[in-house]
Structure formats: structure tokens, C-alpha cells
């Protein structure tokens, strides 16, 4: 268990700023989508028109997936942000794992 604890400690110490930056980035994307949806479609009638126009559009489904609840702010945000953030978070996780687990060369470890 000690090696796992040391790896986690090193990973968190090395990537503190990066982790906070990505968390802030994800939060800002979600907030921007909520604010934009609320400002663009303040009435139920406007949201119904939006749901009709975008909910059945095949090209929009290709990029964002199948929408489930475009009449609510939460449903819209989950539809637009969920898939995008999942892909970015997955790529970030892979890069973070490679960075944490790659072999580091030291002066004593180098061969001539």
C-alpha cells in the first residue's frame, strides 16, 4: 500500500495547478451553457421551439448525442456539456497517468 500512497502523493504534488485549472475550465463551460440557455430561452414557449428544432436534427445528434430533456436547464446542460467534458476529461486522465507513471531519469540512473 505504501507505493500506491507515494505515487498518489507525487501525482497530486506534481499536478496541483493542472488539476485546479481543469476543474475551473469544466466549471466555466458548464456555467456558460447554463447562463446562455437561460438567457436565450427564458420562456417555456421558446424552450419548446428550441427542443423541436434541435431535438430532431440528425446533424446535432451526431455531435452531441441524443437529447433527453431540452425543456429544462439541467437536461440541456447535461446534453451539451456531458459528452464534451467526458471526452476532454478522458484525454486529460490519460495524459496525467502517463505523466505520473513515466520513468524519470536521474543522474545516478543514466548509463554512459
Amino acid at each position: 500500500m505504501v507505493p500506491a500512497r507515494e505515487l498518489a502523493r507525487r501525482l497530486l504534488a506534481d499536478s496541483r495547478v493542472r488539476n485546479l485549472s481543469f476543474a475551473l475550465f469544466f466549471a466555466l463551460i458548464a456555467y456558460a451553457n447554463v447562463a446562455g440557455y437561460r438567457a436565450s430561452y427564458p420562456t417555456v414557449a421558446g424552450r419548446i421551439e428550441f427542443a423541436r428544432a434541435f431535438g430532431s436534427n440528425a446533424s446535432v445528434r451526431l455531435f452531441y448525442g441524443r437529447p433527453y430533456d431540452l425543456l429544462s436547464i439541467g437536461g440541456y446542460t447535461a446534453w451539451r456539456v456531458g459528452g464534451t467534458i467526458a471526452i476532454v476529461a478522458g484525454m486529460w486522465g490519460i495524459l496525467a497517468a502517463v505523466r505520473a507513471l513515466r520513468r524519470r531519469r536521474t543522474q545516478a540512473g543514466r548509463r554512459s
Side-chain angles (χ1 to χ4, degrees), residues 12 15 30 36 42 47 72 79 89 99-100 109:
L12 292 174
S15 64
R47 292 177 184 182
S72 71
W79 173 61
R99 181 175 173 85

Side-chain angles (χ1 to χ4, degrees), residues 12-23:
L12 292 174
D14 287 347
S15 64
R16 191 174 336 156
V17 173
R18 222 174 4 265
N19 290 341
L20 291 174
S21 299
F22 271 99

